[in-house]
Amino acid sequence: MHNASNHKRKLACAVSGALLAIGFAEAADIVTEDVKVTATRVEKELMDVNMSVSVLTAEDIRRSSARSVGELLEMIPGVRVNNDGGQGIKRVSIRGNDTFQTLVMIDGQKISEQKSMSGSPFLIDPSQIERIEVIKGPASVLYGSEAIGGAVNIITKKGGTKAFGGEASVGFNTSANGRSASAAINGASNGWHWRLSAGVEANDELETPAGDMENTYFNSRTASAFVAYDINPDVQVGGRLDYYDLEFGSGDVSSSYDFAVDVPKWTRAKGAVFAEMKNVTDSLVRLRTDAFFQRSKKDMLNTIIVSPTPAIMVDTRPNASNTTDQYGFSVQADWQIGDSNYLVTGYEFGYDDLSARSTTTTKMKKPGMPMPMTSVTDKSYDGWQMTHAVFASMETALHVDFTLNYGVRYTWVKSEMDERDLRAGSGTSHPSTSDGKAVFNAGILWNGIEDLTLRAAYSQGYRFPLLQHLYVDTAMGQAGSITKSNSGLKAETSDNFEIGARWMKHGVRLDATVFYSDANDFITTVRMSPAVSQYQNIAKAKTVGLELAASWAIADTGFEPYASLTWLRREYDNNGVKTTKTGSPNFYGRYGLRWSGDVEGIGLHTDAYAWTQSASDDGTYRYGGATTFNLTSGLAFGPQKLYTVDAGFYNIGDKLYQNDGAIYEPGRYFAVKFNARY
């Protein structure tokens, strides 16, 4: 084992060194394209968007060694990744907010997670993704509940640009002996646009400086099909089918007891259709409607073994099987009102149907007992949550280079749940819970100086409780403990302010944002007794921070120094007890030097960077600060540079660190990926 590890390290050093040497051979001019985003529900240049938005492009994703969407997002300012003790199911928090408060969407349609101790998962393979837009700060007016902290919109790959084309990729990652492969074919002809794709991923236990992390494997399989037809230049209809199948294990290195989670099946199957019309009338410039059905199925097996004394052992096995059927429909109309006003209006309907079963078996062994004392709970839950929302967002161009943005959304939510005790043969129909609320936003953008925009914005956030928070008792954590639901919970709300600036000129790109958030009625657990907690609305949070993304493409050299940094201070008020120990580091970021150029028709690039985070404390665990040094390089060759090889050498100093209390992050590792397009 030791010799194999040394061999991997020598191979990583040799390949990375060779690519770095190639990288500095001869520079060429860098051509930078403007980035277009749809964060405002309308495609716009990033410079004209009055929101804090970060974009991962198709090229960023193609070059990355990331095995999951969570790993793709790790370097974005304001974003933190929660690994939940596993590799394949990472979730994100934005600006210090909880993972529950980040809305996760695929093509603008959310992934619901109504029964979970964490937020919505990223149930999609990176090979399926065209780009990712991350909206930092509340997006509740445009995207609804769950977007109180921000939103992640994953835009999938669609049809091709020629009659027939395709792509294929294979990769290897030594951090967990990871192997990946994907392939796709696509085309566009006679008004038809289509794409078929598939991919696989396999990873063993994670290798860290402290050794292999037990039970941290993951494997996934994915397939998708897309087709669209242009009825005429202004009318398109189409549809998409997606399937994603994940299995993984989670560990916990910091527990004082034995803990493991195995998820042998977590699948997402989705079918979606759409129709879009442009230039309907002089005023109605765009009309789009979408409908989809999505089913998420999860089986989870937990193991929690505690020994309060050497002679006493408590073995708890909470197991769950959940199916969420999600129905969604939306219609959006874009209006040009006069020469100065652009109005986006819409209606959204969502219906989540949850069918779940939770079984917990607890065995206690004490001295003198011939057999362990066993207790079993076995309950089923059948419930639903329905959402109706209408929204309107206006952009008004004023004189003297000012643009106003303002909008409102009204959301109405209703939930019901039937619970049945399968062992007792009895059932309970919980009273329905409903809520309705309007949220607002307003902002102003100034672009009176060429290549510079200044922005200021106010926005409100809103998040309605999940079915689990309202109705489902959960056995998690220490053996014998339970987290009880609370049907009297209120929705979480927040008020948020930010000012920012973007400047792009002479190869310099600067995007800086200062933000402040005042949040209320956070849903958190309150200890009622040594073995019982309950969800309650008692927490408040005040957050202030600064995000900075800066780079300078030095003319005629190919070199580009850059930095992506976040400073954050979050004060948590839990029933009058205030603390800044929220688990979020005050500072984190990435900074380095990259180069790209051509040598005899071969495109080359290299990036030497460091990633840093300060120490943090969540009141239970303290995590030391860490800095890792990393090197990536790659080349593009062949006709039109359709073939690429990208390699990376990560955590070169083999730094031992954690992002949360579950597992250590990867130690020194090497990754390589080959892509071919045709």
Side-chain angles (χ1 to χ4, degrees):
M1 181 73 179
H2 180 70
N3 290 335
S5 178
N6 284 340
H7 178 70
K8 289 179 181 178
R9 294 175 183 177
K10 291 177 181 178
L11 175 63
C13 291
V15 174
S16 298
L19 289 173
L20 181 61
I22 293 172
F24 287 100
E26 181 180 345
D29 292 339
I30 297 174
V31 178
T32 303
E33 297 180 351
D34 291 327
V35 177
K36 294 183 181 294
V37 298
T38 58
T40 59
R41 287 186 173 266
V42 178
E43 187 174 82
K44 303 179 70 172
E45 300 288 347
L46 181 59
M47 285 287 287
D48 298 328
V49 175
N50 192 21
M51 307 172 73
S52 294
V53 181
S54 292
V55 182
L56 288 173
T57 66
E59 187 65 20
D60 295 330
I61 297 169
R62 188 179 300 115
R63 290 180 176 181
S64 173
S65 66
R67 300 163 301 159
S68 66
V69 178
E71 291 184 357
L72 283 171
L73 299 174
E74 284 180 331
M75 300 302 181
I76 290 181
V79 173
R80 295 283 296 164
V81 176
N82 178 357
N83 60 30
D84 263 49
Q87 302 181 71
I89 197 63
K90 295 185 177 184
R91 298 167 170 94
V92 301
S93 64
I94 298 176
R95 292 182 175 176
N97 288 280
D98 191 271
T99 53
F100 279 117
Q101 296 156 343
T102 299
L103 176 64
V104 175
M105 299 175 288
I106 296 179
D107 293 324
Q109 298 160 348
K110 77 173 183 178
I111 298 179
S112 288
E113 178 68 350
Q114 291 287 351
K115 187 174 181 291
S116 172
M117 298 301 290
S118 303
S120 295
F122 297 108
L123 297 177
I124 186 171
D125 189 272
S127 66
Q128 306 287 321
I129 300 172
E130 176 66 26
R131 73 179 186 274
I132 303 175
E133 298 178 4
V134 180
I135 303 168
K136 291 168 286 186
S140 294
V141 169
L142 288 174
Y143 292 106
S145 188
E146 282 91 53
I148 188 171
V152 178
N153 190 17
I154 299 168
I155 293 93
T156 59
K157 295 177 180 178
K158 306 298 192 301
T161 58
K162 54 186 179 181
F164 184 81
E167 59 184 347
S169 173
V170 293
F172 178 70
N173 186 312
T174 65
S175 67
N177 193 31
R179 295 85 67 199
S180 65
S182 65
I185 54 174
N186 56 64
S189 178
N190 299 320
W192 289 96
H193 310 266
W194 59 274
R195 177 183 174 86
L196 298 172
S197 63
V200 294
E201 178 90 28
N203 292 267
D204 300 332
E205 291 182 340
L206 190 65
E207 298 179 13
T208 78
D212 291 355
M213 295 291 98
E214 293 184 2
N215 214 53
T216 55
Y217 66 92
F218 86 89
N219 305 296
S220 68
R221 295 153 292 277
T222 185
S224 71
F226 170 84
V227 64
Y229 179 67
D230 297 330
I231 297 175
N232 60 52
D234 289 328
V235 180
Q236 186 183 70
V237 296
R240 184 179 183 91
L241 296 174
D242 284 330
Y243 181 77
Y244 183 74
D245 184 359
L246 174 69
E247 60 187 51
F248 71 95
S250 294
D252 193 338
V253 70
S254 61
S255 291
S256 57
Y257 50 91
D258 292 335
F259 176 85
V261 176
D262 284 284
V263 179
K265 179 178 71 174
W266 196 340
T267 61
R268 181 182 70 89
K270 178 181 178 180
V273 294
F274 72 90
E276 181 171 318
M277 294 181 288
K278 298 178 181 178
N279 305 314
V280 182
T281 68
D282 290 341
S283 298
L284 181 55
V285 297
R286 180 172 174 261
L287 179 65
R288 180 178 174 108
T289 182
D290 289 85
F292 71 94
F293 169 77
Q294 187 164 250
R295 170 170 287 180
S296 176
K297 297 187 68 173
K298 175 175 62 174
D299 292 334
M300 184 168 63
L301 313 173
N302 293 0
T303 301
I304 308 167
I305 302 175
V306 178
S307 296
T309 69
I312 299 176
M313 183 273 291
V314 181
D315 185 335
T316 304
R317 305 291 172 107
N319 300 329
S321 178
N322 311 326
T323 299
T324 301
D325 287 340
Q326 184 183 355
Y327 304 83
F329 171 79
S330 67
V331 58
Q332 177 178 320
D334 299 359
W335 308 82
Q336 183 69 53
I337 303 174
D339 295 331
S340 304
N341 300 286
Y342 195 91
L343 174 65
V344 178
T345 60
Y347 164 76
E348 292 180 341
F349 168 79
Y351 186 89
D352 294 349
D353 188 300
L354 173 68
S355 176
R357 182 172 180 177
S358 297
T359 304
T360 301
T361 302
T362 302
K363 295 182 179 181
M364 178 179 291
K365 183 72 168 72
K366 292 184 177 180
M369 282 186 176
M371 296 289 292
M373 183 172 61
T374 302
S375 63
V376 179
T377 62
D378 192 1
K379 294 185 177 182
S380 67
Y381 301 88
D382 290 290
W384 54 265
Q385 186 170 97
M386 180 170 58
T387 304
H388 296 273
V390 291
F391 64 89
S393 180
M394 177 78 88
E395 180 179 283
T396 300
L398 304 177
H399 297 293
V400 296
D401 306 308
F402 284 98
T403 302
L404 291 179
N405 309 89
Y406 43 99
V408 60
R409 171 185 286 252
Y410 181 80
T411 303
W412 182 79
V413 187
K414 184 176 182 180
S415 302
E416 288 189 4
M417 177 67 74
D418 291 329
E419 176 185 341
R420 185 169 181 80
D421 189 325
L422 299 178
R423 291 181 63 82
S426 59
T428 301
S429 293
H430 293 279
S432 63
T433 302
S434 63
D435 187 48
K437 186 175 178 60
V439 292
F440 303 87
N441 72 340
I444 189 167
L445 189 81
W446 179 77
N447 57 358
I449 299 177
E450 187 179 3
D451 305 312
L452 173 68
T453 59
L454 303 178
R455 64 186 190 273
Y458 163 75
S459 57
Q460 294 180 320
Y462 171 80
R463 187 178 82 90
F464 192 74
L466 304 179
L467 291 175
Q468 173 167 301
H469 294 152
L470 294 168
Y471 305 117
V472 182
D473 297 341
T474 305
M476 291 292 290
Q478 293 186 355
S481 68
I482 188 170
T483 300
K484 298 186 71 65
S485 58
N486 183 355
S487 60
L489 289 172
K490 298 182 292 184
E492 300 175 336
T493 60
S494 66
D495 292 283
N496 310 269
F497 307 85
E498 67 174 59
I499 58 174
R502 292 189 182 102
W503 184 52
M504 301 183 185
K505 189 174 184 179
H506 301 314
V508 176
R509 288 175 172 257
L510 176 67
D511 194 334
T513 305
V514 176
F515 60 89
Y516 172 76
S517 174
D518 187 356
N520 293 281
D521 292 325
F522 270 17
I523 298 170
T524 188
T525 56
V526 177
R527 181 72 66 182
M528 312 299 291
S529 72
V532 178
S533 298
Q534 186 184 40
Y535 293 113
Q536 293 188 11
N537 290 107
I538 64 166
K540 302 178 181 180
K542 296 182 185 295
T543 309
V544 61
L546 168 67
E547 295 164 353
L548 174 66
S551 63
W552 177 27
I554 303 172
D556 301 322
T557 68
F559 287 99
E560 185 178 17
Y562 69 94
S564 176
L565 309 172
T566 301
W567 174 82
L568 181 80
R569 186 184 186 277
R570 185 172 176 86
E571 182 183 76
Y572 196 65
D573 184 343
N574 193 341
N575 203 23
V577 179
K578 298 182 179 181
T579 180
T580 57
K581 297 179 179 180
T582 63
S584 296
N586 293 125
F587 173 84
Y588 53 95
R590 169 177 170 167
Y591 43 95
L593 176 67
R594 53 190 170 221
W595 176 91
S596 63
D598 277 2
V599 176
E600 297 182 356
I602 297 176
L604 304 171
H605 66 87
T606 191
D607 186 358
Y609 68 92
W611 173 87
T612 295
Q613 68 176 8
S614 62
S616 61
D617 193 327
D618 64 7
T620 303
Y621 302 104
R622 176 174 173 78
Y623 314 108
T627 296
T628 67
F629 298 96
N630 312 271
L631 174 65
T632 65
S633 294
L635 53 87
F637 59 96
Q640 299 177 314
K641 300 179 181 177
L642 294 178
Y643 305 105
T644 61
V645 177
D646 292 279
F649 194 21
Y650 301 92
N651 194 2
I652 296 172
D654 207 27
K655 178 70 175 179
L656 179 67
Y657 69 101
Q658 292 173 274
N659 287 335
D660 58 37
I663 61 175
Y664 294 114
E665 295 300 310
R668 181 188 297 115
Y669 70 97
F670 172 72
V672 63
K673 181 190 289 185
F674 172 75
N675 295 282
R677 289 173 288 167
Y678 50 91

